Amino acid sequence: MQFSLDHVSLRVSNLEATARFYMEVLGLEEIENGTGTEGIRWFGISGKESVHISRGDLATTRVTKSNHLALRTPDLDMTMAELTARNVRFFDWAGEEGRPTLRPDGVRQIYIQDPDGYWIEINDN
């Protein structure tokens, strides 16, 4: 068997606020919602990969940093500068603000949170 990522789906409490975050902070482009169902919005990452957000009740959702969406960028320094300019807080794995984690394999990574507290890793892998 062989697989590639198709999409990640997240339940969110405020569809509009979260959509703005994914468009304005992460720069993702909204794409057609293939389901045609109201209360769901899709955002393209690259190629055919996407993030789907669906309005819903988060009462049973447990958000931790270990459960995260990871995005890759070719220039982490530029990304950190842009986040800082937009007053978006980012953290290393240990939780220290404003600095990246250096993994043993040499990849640098930071973590931000969307409006519902979902963690998003941004790395330069």
Side-chain angles (χ1 to χ4, degrees), residues 20-29 69 71 83 86 112 114 120 122:
R20 260 192 323 278
F21 174 86
Y22 283 92
M23 289 185 294
E24 294 174 7
V25 174
L26 296 179
L28 300 184
E29 183 178 327
L69 165 66
L71 302 174
L83 292 172
R86 295 178 184 178
I112 64 174
D114 79 4
I120 301 164
I122 302 173

Side-chain angles (χ1 to χ4, degrees), residues 41-115:
R41 293 174 73 174
W42 291 13
F43 301 88
I45 296 175
S46 65
K48 291 188 169 196
E49 298 88 8
S50 58
V51 174
H52 302 176
I53 58 172
S54 304
R55 182 181 16 234
D57 181 8
L58 296 181
T60 60
T61 302
R62 183 168 179 253
V63 177
T64 69
K65 196 182 285 183
S66 293
N67 301 324
H68 60 268
L69 165 66
L71 302 174
R72 182 179 318 123
T73 181
D75 191 339
L76 188 61
D77 291 321
M78 184 177 70
T79 299
M80 290 187 295
E82 288 179 15
L83 292 172
T84 299
R86 295 178 184 178
N87 294 315
V88 176
R89 298 169 67 198
F90 61 89
F91 305 87
D92 66 7
W93 176 256
E96 188 170 332
E97 188 171 350
R99 55 177 277 168
T101 298
L102 179 62
R103 294 185 338 204
D105 62 1
V107 172
R108 294 182 313 143
Q109 60 192 24
I110 59 171
Y111 293 85
I112 64 174
Q113 286 184 287
D114 79 4

